[in-house]
Amino acid sequence: MANVYVGKDMSSLFPDIVLQVRVKESSISRLIGMFTAQYGHLHSDTALLCINQLTKEIMHDSEPIRRGHALQTLGSLNIPDLAEYIAPPIKQALQDSSLMLGVLLWMDVSRFSR
């Protein structure tokens, strides 16, 4: 991620990073999410591979922080026609009692409504 922030093009690593989306470590999961958000629009076909895993985390993970990271990553992908994939997890997240997930949910909803 340090190379990304100093302006180096790391998009060639995108397919390998997408395969790591199942990592359970919170800090690494966050970095993978940021990387996916940065380069998802350049590799939209490959980015679609991680949508299923992110949806599973949002709908079934017991930890609110992991559900929040997955929702934030899914919401930050700049892929055309993403609405059909993100609608079911958003509906599920609307019923969640976690305050953090609610805040992230409303940020994502406002992003899509523009």
Side-chain angles (χ1 to χ4, degrees):
M1 284 309 297
N3 286 329
V4 172
Y5 287 115
V6 295
K8 293 184 180 177
D9 181 23
M10 303 301 289
S11 64
S12 62
L13 297 175
F14 188 80
D16 296 324
I17 298 294
V18 166
L19 294 176
Q20 304 303 318
V21 79
R22 295 179 185 212
V23 171
K24 294 291 184 189
E25 176 65 35
S26 180
S27 59
I28 294 174
S29 175
R30 184 87 171 149
L31 290 172
I32 291 170
M34 291 182 344
F35 191 88
T36 305
Q38 180 74 24
Y39 292 111
H41 67 284
L42 297 175
H43 302 274
S44 59
D45 293 339
T46 308
L48 289 173
L49 297 174
C50 71
I51 289 176
N52 188 35
Q53 179 62 30
L54 292 171
T55 302
K56 285 180 186 177
E57 286 181 20
I58 294 167
M59 299 178 95
H60 303 295
D61 202 296
S62 61
E63 298 178 35
I65 191 116
R66 295 214 19 97
R67 291 193 311 266
H69 286 165
L71 182 65
Q72 194 171 27
T73 301
L74 189 59
S76 63
L77 291 174
N78 294 322
I79 300 174
D81 303 324
L82 184 63
E84 67 183 272
Y85 299 109
I86 200 169
I90 285 180
K91 288 178 184 177
Q92 176 78 22
L94 282 169
Q95 300 170 358
D96 199 294
S97 62
S98 170
L99 181 62
M100 184 190 98
L101 191 64
V103 169
L104 291 173
L105 174 66
W106 288 113
M107 288 172 33
D108 286 339
V109 168
S110 68
R111 187 179 312 143
F112 281 113
S113 66
R114 290 186 213 156

